[in-house]
Coordinates of all heavy atoms in Angstrom, one line a residue:
Y1 N 10.0 -14.7 -29.4 CA 9.3 -15.8 -29.8 C 10.1 -17.0 -29.6 O 11.3 -17.0 -29.8 CB 8.7 -15.8 -31.2 CG 7.6 -14.7 -31.3 CD1 7.7 -13.4 -31.7 CD2 6.2 -15.3 -31.1 CE1 6.5 -12.5 -31.9 CE2 5.2 -14.4 -31.2 CZ 5.3 -13.1 -31.6 OH 4.2 -12.3 -31.6
A2 N 9.4 -18.2 -29.4 CA 10.1 -19.4 -29.2 C 10.5 -20.0 -30.5 O 9.8 -20.0 -31.5 CB 9.2 -20.5 -28.5
A3 N 11.9 -20.3 -30.7 CA 12.3 -21.0 -31.8 C 12.4 -22.4 -31.5 O 12.1 -23.2 -32.4 CB 13.7 -20.4 -32.2
S4 N 12.6 -22.8 -30.4 CA 12.5 -24.2 -29.9 C 12.4 -24.2 -28.4 O 12.3 -23.0 -27.7 CB 13.7 -24.9 -30.3 OG 14.8 -24.5 -29.4
A5 N 12.3 -25.3 -27.7 CA 12.2 -25.3 -26.2 C 13.4 -24.7 -25.6 O 13.3 -24.2 -24.4 CB 12.1 -26.8 -25.8
N6 N 14.5 -24.7 -26.3 CA 15.8 -24.2 -25.7 C 16.3 -22.8 -26.2 O 17.2 -22.3 -25.7 CB 16.9 -25.2 -25.8 CG 16.6 -26.5 -25.2 OD1 16.1 -26.6 -24.1 ND2 16.8 -27.7 -25.9
L7 N 15.5 -22.3 -27.2 CA 15.9 -21.0 -27.8 C 14.8 -20.1 -28.0 O 13.7 -20.5 -28.6 CB 16.6 -21.4 -29.1 CG 16.9 -20.2 -29.9 CD1 18.1 -19.5 -29.3 CD2 17.3 -20.7 -31.4
A8 N 14.9 -18.9 -27.5 CA 13.9 -17.9 -27.7 C 14.6 -16.7 -28.3 O 15.8 -16.5 -28.0 CB 13.3 -17.5 -26.4
I9 N 13.9 -16.0 -29.2 CA 14.6 -14.9 -29.8 C 13.9 -13.7 -29.4 O 12.6 -13.4 -29.4 CB 14.5 -15.1 -31.4 CG1 15.0 -16.4 -31.9 CG2 14.9 -13.9 -32.1 CD1 14.9 -16.7 -33.3
F10 N 14.7 -12.8 -29.0 CA 14.2 -11.4 -28.5 C 14.7 -10.4 -29.4 O 15.8 -10.2 -29.7 CB 14.6 -11.1 -27.0 CG 14.1 -12.1 -26.1 CD1 14.9 -13.3 -25.7 CD2 12.8 -12.1 -25.6 CE1 14.3 -14.1 -24.9 CE2 12.3 -13.0 -24.7 CZ 13.1 -14.1 -24.3
L11 N 13.8 -9.4 -29.9 CA 14.1 -8.4 -30.7 C 13.7 -7.1 -30.0 O 12.7 -7.0 -29.3 CB 13.5 -8.5 -32.1 CG 13.7 -9.8 -32.8 CD1 12.8 -9.8 -34.0 CD2 15.2 -9.8 -33.2
E12 N 14.4 -6.0 -30.3 CA 14.0 -4.7 -29.8 C 12.8 -4.3 -30.9 O 13.1 -3.9 -32.0 CB 15.1 -3.7 -29.9 CG 14.8 -2.3 -29.4 CD 14.4 -2.2 -27.9 OE1 15.0 -2.9 -27.2 OE2 13.4 -1.5 -27.6
V13 N 11.6 -4.1 -30.3 CA 10.5 -3.8 -31.2 C 9.8 -2.6 -30.9 O 8.9 -2.1 -31.6 CB 9.5 -5.0 -31.2 CG1 10.2 -6.3 -31.8 CG2 9.0 -5.3 -29.9
K14 N 10.1 -2.0 -29.7 CA 9.4 -0.8 -29.3 C 9.5 0.3 -30.4 O 10.6 0.6 -30.9 CB 10.0 -0.3 -27.9 CG 9.1 0.9 -27.3 CD 9.7 1.3 -26.0 CE 8.7 2.3 -25.5 NZ 9.0 2.6 -24.2
G15 N 8.4 0.9 -30.8 CA 8.3 1.8 -31.8 C 8.2 1.2 -33.2 O 7.9 1.9 -34.1
K16 N 8.5 0.0 -33.4 CA 8.4 -0.7 -34.7 C 7.1 -1.5 -35.0 O 6.8 -1.8 -36.0 CB 9.6 -1.6 -34.8 CG 11.0 -0.8 -34.8 CD 12.1 -1.6 -34.9 CE 13.4 -0.7 -35.0 NZ 14.5 -1.2 -34.7
I17 N 6.4 -1.9 -33.9 CA 5.1 -2.5 -34.0 C 4.0 -1.6 -33.9 O 3.9 -0.8 -32.9 CB 4.9 -3.7 -32.9 CG1 6.1 -4.7 -33.1 CG2 3.6 -4.2 -32.9 CD1 5.9 -5.7 -32.1
T18 N 3.2 -1.5 -34.9 CA 2.2 -0.5 -34.9 C 0.9 -1.0 -34.3 O 0.0 -0.2 -33.8 CB 1.9 -0.1 -36.4 OG1 1.5 -1.3 -37.1 CG2 3.0 0.7 -37.0
D19 N 0.7 -2.4 -34.3 CA -0.5 -2.9 -33.8 C -0.3 -4.0 -32.6 O -0.1 -5.1 -33.0 CB -1.4 -3.5 -34.8 CG -2.8 -3.9 -34.3 OD1 -3.1 -3.8 -33.0 OD2 -3.6 -4.2 -35.2
I20 N 0.1 -3.5 -31.4 CA 0.5 -4.4 -30.3 C -0.6 -5.4 -30.0 O -0.3 -6.5 -29.8 CB 0.8 -3.5 -29.1 CG1 2.1 -2.8 -29.4 CG2 1.1 -4.4 -27.9 CD1 2.6 -1.8 -28.3
E21 N -1.9 -4.9 -30.1 CA -3.0 -5.9 -29.8 C -3.0 -7.1 -30.8 O -3.3 -8.2 -30.4 CB -4.4 -5.1 -29.9 CG -4.7 -4.2 -28.7 CD -4.8 -5.0 -27.5 OE1 -5.3 -6.2 -27.4 OE2 -4.3 -4.4 -26.4
A22 N -2.7 -6.8 -32.0 CA -2.7 -7.8 -33.0 C -1.5 -8.8 -32.7 O -1.7 -10.0 -32.8 CB -2.4 -7.3 -34.5
E23 N -0.4 -8.2 -32.3 CA 0.7 -9.2 -31.9 C 0.3 -10.0 -30.6 O 0.6 -11.2 -30.6 CB 1.9 -8.4 -31.7 CG 2.5 -7.6 -32.9 CD 2.8 -8.5 -34.0 OE1 3.4 -9.7 -33.7 OE2 2.6 -8.3 -35.1
I24 N -0.4 -9.4 -29.8 CA -0.8 -10.1 -28.5 C -1.8 -11.3 -28.9 O -1.6 -12.4 -28.5 CB -1.4 -9.3 -27.6 CG1 -0.3 -8.2 -26.9 CG2 -2.2 -10.0 -26.5 CD1 -1.0 -7.1 -26.1
K25 N -2.7 -10.9 -29.8 CA -3.6 -12.0 -30.3 C -2.8 -13.1 -31.0 O -3.3 -14.3 -30.8 CB -4.7 -11.4 -31.1 CG -5.7 -10.6 -30.4 CD -6.7 -10.0 -31.3 CE -7.7 -9.2 -30.4 NZ -8.7 -8.6 -31.3
K26 N -1.8 -12.8 -31.8 CA -1.1 -13.8 -32.5 C -0.4 -14.7 -31.5 O -0.3 -15.9 -31.6 CB 0.0 -13.2 -33.3 CG -0.5 -12.7 -34.7 CD 0.6 -12.1 -35.4 CE 0.2 -11.1 -36.5 NZ 1.3 -10.5 -37.1
A27 N 0.3 -14.1 -30.5 CA 1.0 -14.8 -29.4 C 0.0 -15.7 -28.7 O 0.4 -16.7 -28.2 CB 1.8 -13.9 -28.5
Q28 N -1.2 -15.1 -28.3 CA -2.1 -15.9 -27.6 C -2.6 -17.1 -28.4 O -2.8 -18.2 -27.8 CB -3.4 -15.1 -27.3 CG -3.1 -14.0 -26.1 CD -4.2 -13.0 -26.0 OE1 -5.0 -12.7 -26.9 NE2 -4.3 -12.5 -24.8
A29 N -2.8 -17.1 -29.6 CA -3.1 -18.2 -30.5 C -2.0 -19.2 -30.5 O -2.3 -20.4 -30.4 CB -3.4 -17.7 -32.0
K30 N -0.8 -18.8 -30.6 CA 0.3 -19.7 -30.5 C 0.4 -20.4 -29.1 O 0.8 -21.5 -29.0 CB 1.7 -19.0 -30.9 CG 1.7 -18.7 -32.4 CD 2.9 -17.9 -32.7 CE 3.0 -17.5 -34.2 NZ 4.2 -16.8 -34.5
L31 N 0.2 -19.5 -28.1 CA 0.2 -20.1 -26.7 C -0.9 -21.2 -26.6 O -0.7 -22.2 -26.0 CB -0.1 -19.0 -25.7 CG -0.3 -19.4 -24.2 CD1 0.9 -20.2 -23.7 CD2 -0.6 -18.1 -23.4
K32 N -2.1 -20.9 -27.1 CA -3.1 -21.9 -27.1 C -2.7 -23.2 -27.8 O -2.9 -24.3 -27.2 CB -4.4 -21.4 -27.8 CG -5.5 -22.4 -27.7 CD -6.8 -21.7 -28.4 CE -7.9 -22.7 -28.3 NZ -8.9 -22.7 -29.3
K33 N -2.1 -23.1 -28.9 CA -1.6 -24.4 -29.7 C -0.5 -25.1 -28.8 O -0.6 -26.3 -28.7 CB -1.0 -24.0 -30.9 CG -2.2 -23.6 -32.0 CD -1.5 -23.5 -33.4 CE -2.7 -23.2 -34.4 NZ -2.2 -23.1 -35.7
A34 N 0.3 -24.3 -28.2 CA 1.4 -25.0 -27.4 C 0.7 -25.7 -26.2 O 1.1 -26.7 -25.8 CB 2.5 -23.9 -26.9
S35 N -0.2 -25.0 -25.5 CA -0.9 -25.5 -24.3 C -1.7 -26.8 -24.7 O -1.8 -27.8 -24.0 CB -1.9 -24.5 -23.8 OG -1.1 -23.4 -23.3
E36 N -2.2 -26.9 -25.9 CA -3.0 -28.0 -26.4 C -2.0 -29.1 -26.7 O -2.2 -30.3 -26.3 CB -3.7 -27.7 -27.6 CG -4.9 -26.8 -27.5 CD -5.6 -26.3 -28.8 OE1 -5.0 -26.4 -29.8 OE2 -6.7 -25.7 -28.7
G37 N -0.8 -28.8 -27.2 CA 0.3 -29.8 -27.2 C 0.7 -30.3 -26.0 O 1.0 -31.6 -25.8
V38 N 0.9 -29.4 -24.9 CA 1.2 -30.0 -23.6 C 0.2 -31.0 -23.1 O 0.6 -32.0 -22.7 CB 1.4 -28.8 -22.6 CG1 1.4 -29.4 -21.2 CG2 2.5 -28.0 -22.9
A39 N -1.1 -30.6 -23.2 CA -2.2 -31.4 -22.8 C -2.2 -32.8 -23.5 O -2.4 -33.9 -22.9 CB -3.6 -30.7 -22.9
K40 N -2.0 -32.7 -24.9 CA -2.0 -33.9 -25.7 C -0.8 -34.9 -25.2 O -1.0 -36.0 -25.2 CB -1.9 -33.5 -27.1 CG -1.8 -34.7 -28.0 CD -1.6 -34.2 -29.5 CE -1.4 -35.4 -30.4 NZ -1.2 -35.0 -31.8
Q41 N 0.3 -34.3 -25.1 CA 1.4 -35.1 -24.6 C 1.2 -35.7 -23.3 O 1.6 -36.9 -23.1 CB 2.8 -34.3 -24.7 CG 3.4 -34.0 -26.1 CD 3.5 -35.2 -26.9 OE1 2.8 -35.4 -28.0 NE2 4.5 -36.1 -26.4
R42 N 0.7 -35.0 -22.4 CA 0.5 -35.5 -21.0 C -0.5 -36.5 -21.0 O -0.4 -37.6 -20.4 CB 0.1 -34.4 -20.1 CG 1.2 -33.4 -19.7 CD 0.8 -32.4 -18.8 NE 2.0 -31.6 -18.4 CZ 2.0 -30.3 -17.9 NH1 0.8 -29.7 -17.7 NH2 3.1 -29.8 -17.6
Q43 N -1.6 -36.4 -21.9 CA -2.5 -37.4 -22.0 C -1.9 -38.6 -22.6 O -2.2 -39.8 -22.1 CB -3.7 -36.9 -22.9 CG -4.8 -37.9 -23.1 CD -5.8 -37.4 -24.1 OE1 -5.7 -36.5 -24.8 NE2 -7.1 -38.0 -24.0
L44 N -1.2 -38.5 -23.6 CA -0.5 -39.8 -24.3 C 0.4 -40.4 -23.2 O 0.4 -41.6 -23.1 CB 0.3 -39.3 -25.4 CG 1.2 -40.3 -26.1 CD1 0.4 -41.3 -26.8 CD2 2.2 -39.7 -27.0
M45 N 1.2 -39.6 -22.6 CA 2.1 -40.2 -21.6 C 1.5 -40.8 -20.4 O 2.0 -41.7 -19.7 CB 3.2 -39.2 -21.1 CG 4.0 -38.8 -22.4 SD 5.1 -37.3 -22.0 CE 6.1 -38.0 -20.7
G46 N 0.3 -40.4 -20.1 CA -0.5 -41.0 -19.0 C -1.3 -42.2 -19.2 O -2.0 -42.8 -18.5
K47 N -1.3 -42.6 -20.6 CA -2.2 -43.8 -21.0 C -1.6 -45.0 -20.5 O -0.4 -45.1 -20.4 CB -2.3 -43.8 -22.7 CG -3.2 -42.9 -23.2 CD -3.4 -43.0 -24.6 CE -4.4 -42.1 -25.2 NZ -4.6 -42.3 -26.6
E48 N -2.4 -45.9 -20.2 CA -2.1 -47.3 -19.8 C -1.2 -47.9 -20.9 O -1.6 -47.7 -22.2 CB -3.4 -48.1 -19.5 CG -3.0 -49.5 -19.0 CD -4.2 -50.2 -18.6 OE1 -5.2 -49.6 -18.2 OE2 -4.2 -51.5 -18.7
G49 N -0.2 -48.4 -20.6 CA 0.7 -49.1 -21.6 C 1.8 -48.2 -22.0 O 2.7 -48.7 -22.7
F50 N 1.8 -46.9 -21.7 CA 2.8 -46.0 -22.2 C 4.2 -46.5 -21.6 O 5.3 -46.4 -22.3 CB 2.6 -44.5 -21.8 CG 3.7 -43.6 -22.2 CD1 3.8 -43.3 -23.6 CD2 4.6 -43.1 -21.3 CE1 4.9 -42.4 -24.1 CE2 5.7 -42.3 -21.8 CZ 5.8 -41.9 -23.2
S51 N 4.2 -47.0 -20.3 CA 5.4 -47.3 -19.7 C 5.9 -48.6 -20.5 O 7.2 -49.0 -20.2 CB 5.2 -47.6 -18.3 OG 4.3 -48.7 -18.1
N52 N 5.2 -49.3 -21.2 CA 5.7 -50.5 -21.9 C 6.4 -50.1 -23.3 O 6.9 -51.0 -23.9 CB 4.5 -51.4 -22.2 CG 3.9 -52.0 -20.9 OD1 4.6 -52.2 -19.9 ND2 2.7 -52.4 -21.0
A53 N 6.2 -48.8 -23.7 CA 6.8 -48.4 -24.9 C 8.4 -48.4 -24.7 O 8.9 -48.5 -23.6 CB 6.4 -47.0 -25.2
S54 N 9.0 -48.5 -25.9 CA 10.5 -48.5 -25.8 C 11.1 -47.2 -25.2 O 10.5 -46.3 -25.3 CB 11.1 -48.7 -27.3 OG 10.9 -47.5 -28.1
D55 N 12.3 -47.4 -24.8 CA 13.0 -46.2 -24.2 C 13.1 -45.1 -25.1 O 12.9 -43.9 -24.7 CB 14.4 -46.7 -23.8 CG 14.3 -47.5 -22.6 OD1 13.4 -47.6 -21.8 OD2 15.4 -48.1 -22.2
S56 N 13.4 -45.4 -26.4 CA 13.4 -44.4 -27.4 C 12.2 -43.6 -27.6 O 12.1 -42.4 -27.7 CB 14.0 -44.9 -28.6 OG 13.3 -45.7 -29.3
V57 N 11.1 -44.3 -27.7 CA 9.8 -43.8 -27.9 C 9.4 -42.8 -26.6 O 8.9 -41.8 -26.8 CB 8.7 -44.8 -28.1 CG1 7.2 -44.3 -28.0 CG2 8.8 -45.5 -29.4
R58 N 9.6 -43.4 -25.4 CA 9.3 -42.6 -24.3 C 10.2 -41.4 -24.2 O 9.6 -40.2 -23.9 CB 9.5 -43.5 -22.9 CG 8.4 -44.5 -22.8 CD 8.4 -45.1 -21.4 NE 9.7 -45.4 -20.8 CZ 10.3 -46.6 -20.9 NH1 9.7 -47.6 -21.6 NH2 11.6 -46.7 -20.4
E59 N 11.4 -41.4 -24.5 CA 12.2 -40.3 -24.6 C 11.8 -39.2 -25.6 O 11.7 -38.0 -25.3 CB 13.7 -40.7 -24.7 CG 14.7 -39.4 -24.8 CD 14.5 -38.6 -23.4 OE1 14.3 -39.2 -22.3 OE2 14.7 -37.4 -23.5
T60 N 11.4 -39.7 -26.8 CA 10.9 -38.8 -27.9 C 9.7 -38.1 -27.4 O 9.5 -36.8 -27.5 CB 10.6 -39.6 -29.2 OG1 11.8 -40.3 -29.5 CG2 10.0 -38.7 -30.2
E61 N 8.8 -38.7 -26.7 CA 7.6 -38.1 -26.2 C 7.8 -37.2 -25.1 O 7.3 -36.1 -25.0 CB 6.5 -39.2 -25.8 CG 6.1 -40.0 -27.0 CD 5.5 -39.2 -28.1 OE1 4.9 -38.3 -28.0 OE2 5.8 -39.8 -29.3
R62 N 8.8 -37.6 -24.2 CA 9.2 -36.6 -23.1 C 9.9 -35.3 -23.8 O 9.6 -34.2 -23.3 CB 10.2 -37.2 -22.2 CG 9.5 -38.2 -21.2 CD 10.5 -38.6 -20.1 NE 11.5 -39.4 -20.6 CZ 11.5 -40.7 -20.5 NH1 10.5 -41.4 -20.1 NH2 12.5 -41.4 -20.9
E63 N 10.6 -35.4 -24.8 CA 11.2 -34.3 -25.5 C 10.1 -33.5 -26.1 O 10.2 -32.2 -26.0 CB 12.2 -34.7 -26.4 CG 13.0 -33.7 -27.2 CD 13.9 -32.8 -26.3 OE1 14.4 -33.3 -25.3 OE2 14.0 -31.7 -26.5
K64 N 9.1 -34.0 -26.7 CA 8.0 -33.2 -27.3 C 7.3 -32.5 -26.2 O 7.0 -31.2 -26.4 CB 7.0 -34.1 -27.9 CG 7.5 -34.8 -29.3 CD 6.4 -35.7 -29.9 CE 6.8 -36.4 -31.1 NZ 5.8 -37.3 -31.6
L65 N 7.2 -33.1 -25.1 CA 6.5 -32.4 -24.0 C 7.4 -31.2 -23.5 O 6.8 -30.1 -23.3 CB 6.3 -33.4 -22.8 CG 5.7 -32.7 -21.5 CD1 4.3 -32.1 -21.7 CD2 5.6 -33.8 -20.3
R66 N 8.6 -31.4 -23.4 CA 9.6 -30.3 -22.9 C 9.5 -29.2 -24.0 O 9.5 -28.0 -23.6 CB 11.0 -30.8 -22.8 CG 11.1 -31.7 -21.4 CD 12.6 -31.9 -21.2 NE 13.2 -32.8 -22.2 CZ 13.3 -34.2 -22.1 NH1 12.8 -34.7 -21.0 NH2 13.9 -34.9 -23.0
D67 N 9.4 -29.5 -25.2 CA 9.4 -28.5 -26.3 C 8.1 -27.7 -26.2 O 8.2 -26.4 -26.2 CB 9.5 -29.2 -27.6 CG 10.9 -29.6 -28.0 OD1 11.8 -29.3 -27.4 OD2 10.9 -30.4 -29.0
Y68 N 7.0 -28.4 -26.0 CA 5.7 -27.6 -25.9 C 5.7 -26.7 -24.7 O 5.2 -25.7 -24.6 CB 4.5 -28.6 -25.9 CG 4.1 -29.1 -27.2 CD1 4.1 -30.5 -27.4 CD2 3.7 -28.2 -28.1 CE1 3.7 -31.0 -28.7 CE2 3.3 -28.7 -29.5 CZ 3.4 -30.1 -29.7 OH 3.0 -30.6 -30.9
E69 N 6.3 -27.3 -23.5 CA 6.3 -26.5 -22.2 C 7.1 -25.3 -22.5 O 6.9 -24.2 -22.0 CB 6.7 -27.4 -21.1 CG 5.8 -28.5 -20.7 CD 6.3 -29.4 -19.7 OE1 7.5 -29.6 -19.6 OE2 5.5 -30.0 -19.0
G70 N 8.3 -25.5 -23.2 CA 9.2 -24.3 -23.4 C 8.5 -23.3 -24.3 O 8.6 -22.1 -24.1
M71 N 7.8 -23.7 -25.3 CA 7.1 -22.8 -26.1 C 6.0 -22.0 -25.4 O 5.8 -20.9 -25.5 CB 6.5 -23.5 -27.4 CG 7.5 -23.8 -28.5 SD 6.7 -24.6 -29.9 CE 6.4 -26.2 -29.4
E72 N 5.3 -22.8 -24.5 CA 4.3 -22.2 -23.7 C 4.9 -21.1 -22.8 O 4.3 -20.0 -22.7 CB 3.7 -23.2 -22.7 CG 2.3 -23.3 -22.3 CD 1.9 -24.5 -21.6 OE1 2.7 -25.0 -20.9 OE2 0.7 -24.7 -21.6
R73 N 6.0 -21.3 -22.2 CA 6.6 -20.2 -21.4 C 7.1 -19.1 -22.2 O 6.9 -18.0 -21.7 CB 7.8 -20.9 -20.6 CG 7.4 -21.8 -19.4 CD 8.7 -22.2 -18.7 NE 9.7 -23.0 -19.4 CZ 9.7 -24.2 -19.6 NH1 8.7 -25.0 -19.1 NH2 10.6 -24.8 -20.3
S74 N 7.7 -19.4 -23.3 CA 8.1 -18.3 -24.2 C 7.0 -17.4 -24.7 O 7.1 -16.1 -24.6 CB 8.8 -18.9 -25.4 OG 9.3 -17.9 -26.2
Y75 N 5.8 -18.0 -25.1 CA 4.7 -17.2 -25.5 C 4.0 -16.5 -24.4 O 3.6 -15.3 -24.5 CB 3.7 -18.0 -26.2 CG 4.2 -18.7 -27.5 CD1 4.1 -20.0 -27.9 CD2 4.8 -17.8 -28.4 CE1 4.6 -20.4 -29.1 CE2 5.3 -18.2 -29.6 CZ 5.1 -19.6 -29.9 OH 5.6 -20.1 -31.1
E76 N 4.1 -17.0 -23.2 CA 3.5 -16.3 -22.1 C 4.4 -15.1 -21.8 O 3.9 -13.9 -21.5 CB 3.6 -17.2 -20.7 CG 2.4 -18.2 -20.9 CD 2.6 -19.3 -19.7 OE1 3.6 -19.4 -19.0 OE2 1.7 -20.2 -19.5
K77 N 5.7 -15.3 -21.8 CA 6.6 -14.1 -21.7 C 6.4 -13.1 -22.7 O 6.5 -11.9 -22.5 CB 8.1 -14.7 -21.7 CG 9.1 -13.7 -21.4 CD 9.2 -13.3 -20.0 CE 10.4 -12.5 -19.7 NZ 10.4 -11.9 -18.4
S78 N 6.3 -13.6 -24.1 CA 6.1 -12.6 -25.1 C 4.9 -11.8 -24.8 O 4.8 -10.6 -25.1 CB 5.9 -13.4 -26.4 OG 7.1 -14.0 -26.8
I79 N 3.7 -12.4 -24.4 CA 2.5 -11.7 -24.1 C 2.7 -10.6 -23.1 O 2.3 -9.5 -23.2 CB 1.4 -12.6 -23.8 CG1 1.0 -13.5 -25.1 CG2 0.2 -11.9 -23.3 CD1 0.1 -14.7 -24.8
E80 N 3.5 -11.0 -22.0 CA 3.8 -10.0 -20.9 C 4.6 -8.9 -21.4 O 4.3 -7.7 -21.1 CB 4.6 -10.8 -19.8 CG 3.9 -11.8 -19.0 CD 4.8 -12.5 -18.0 OE1 5.8 -11.9 -17.6 OE2 4.4 -13.6 -17.6
Q81 N 5.5 -9.2 -22.3 CA 6.3 -8.1 -22.9 C 5.5 -7.1 -23.7 O 5.7 -5.9 -23.7 CB 7.6 -8.7 -23.5 CG 8.5 -9.3 -22.6 CD 9.6 -10.0 -23.3 OE1 9.6 -10.4 -24.4 NE2 10.7 -10.3 -22.5
F82 N 4.6 -7.8 -24.5 CA 3.8 -6.9 -25.4 C 2.9 -6.1 -24.5 O 2.6 -4.9 -24.8 CB 2.9 -7.8 -26.3 CG 3.6 -8.3 -27.6 CD1 3.7 -9.6 -27.9 CD2 4.5 -7.4 -28.3 CE1 4.4 -10.1 -29.0 CE2 5.2 -7.9 -29.5 CZ 5.2 -9.2 -29.7
E83 N 2.4 -6.7 -23.5 CA 1.5 -5.9 -22.5 C 2.3 -4.6 -21.9 O 1.8 -3.6 -21.8 CB 1.0 -6.8 -21.5 CG 0.0 -7.9 -21.8 CD -1.4 -7.3 -22.2 OE1 -1.7 -6.0 -22.0 OE2 -2.1 -8.0 -22.9
M84 N 3.6 -4.9 -21.6 CA 4.3 -3.8 -21.1 C 4.7 -2.7 -22.1 O 4.6 -1.6 -21.9 CB 5.8 -4.4 -20.6 CG 5.6 -5.2 -19.3 SD 7.1 -6.0 -18.7 CE 8.4 -5.1 -19.2
L85 N 4.7 -3.0 -23.4 CA 4.9 -2.2 -24.5 C 3.6 -1.3 -24.6 O 3.7 0.0 -24.9 CB 5.1 -2.8 -25.8 CG 6.5 -3.4 -26.0 CD1 6.6 -4.1 -27.4 CD2 7.6 -2.3 -26.0
K86 N 2.5 -1.9 -24.4 CA 1.2 -1.0 -24.4 C 1.3 0.0 -23.2 O 0.7 1.1 -23.5 CB 0.0 -2.0 -24.2 CG -0.4 -2.7 -25.3 CD -1.7 -3.6 -25.2 CE -2.5 -3.5 -23.9 NZ -3.5 -4.4 -24.0
L87 N 1.8 -0.3 -22.1 CA 1.8 0.5 -21.0 C 3.0 1.6 -21.1 O 2.7 2.7 -20.6 CB 2.1 -0.1 -19.7 CG 1.0 -1.3 -19.4 CD1 1.4 -2.0 -18.0 CD2 -0.3 -0.6 -19.1
G88 N 4.0 1.2 -21.8 CA 5.1 2.1 -21.8 C 5.1 3.2 -22.8 O 5.8 4.1 -22.8

């Protein structure tokens, strides 16, 4: 799971998770929230006048976007790995 945009935590879970489908659903819900965050940040950054914001504000918003994008990738990877556990 994503701890931040730059840190993902991987645990050996095979045999320890009894309901993989439930874990997939949890990860999908978190992925949806991260995707919504990406969309919100892109919308904000695309608004007229955003380029007039201070450098620090623009950098803060870019960092938020990177964080959401990192979480999105991490949850996608988690879902793939849970799917592989179902097969294996």
Side-chain angles (χ1 to χ4, degrees):
Y1 282 97
S4 75
N6 300 315
L7 177 65
I9 299 171
F10 297 96
L11 303 171
E12 180 67 39
V13 295
K14 189 170 185 176
K16 296 181 177 154
I17 295 179
T18 57
D19 191 351
I20 293 175
E21 283 299 325
E23 295 301 320
I24 290 172
K25 286 181 182 179
K26 286 181 202 175
Q28 287 171 333
K30 291 178 181 181
L31 173 61
K32 182 179 180 209
K33 285 185 180 184
S35 296
E36 289 168 353
V38 167
K40 180 181 173 186
Q41 285 306 115
R42 287 184 178 155
Q43 180 182 20
L44 173 71
M45 293 169 67
K47 283 186 176 180
E48 187 176 328
F50 181 76
S51 60
N52 296 331
S54 70
D55 290 343
S56 64
V57 168
R58 287 194 318 267
E59 182 54 36
T60 298
E61 297 307 322
R62 283 192 290 266
E63 183 63 33
K64 287 179 187 178
L65 177 60
R66 287 190 293 268
D67 285 346
Y68 281 123
E69 288 172 336
M71 287 187 281
E72 213 176 22
R73 286 187 299 274
S74 180
Y75 292 129
E76 287 169 350
K77 183 77 170 168
S78 293
I79 291 166
E80 287 175 22
Q81 291 172 342
F82 283 131
E83 292 289 347
M84 288 175 29
L85 284 175
K86 281 183 7 181
L87 301 174

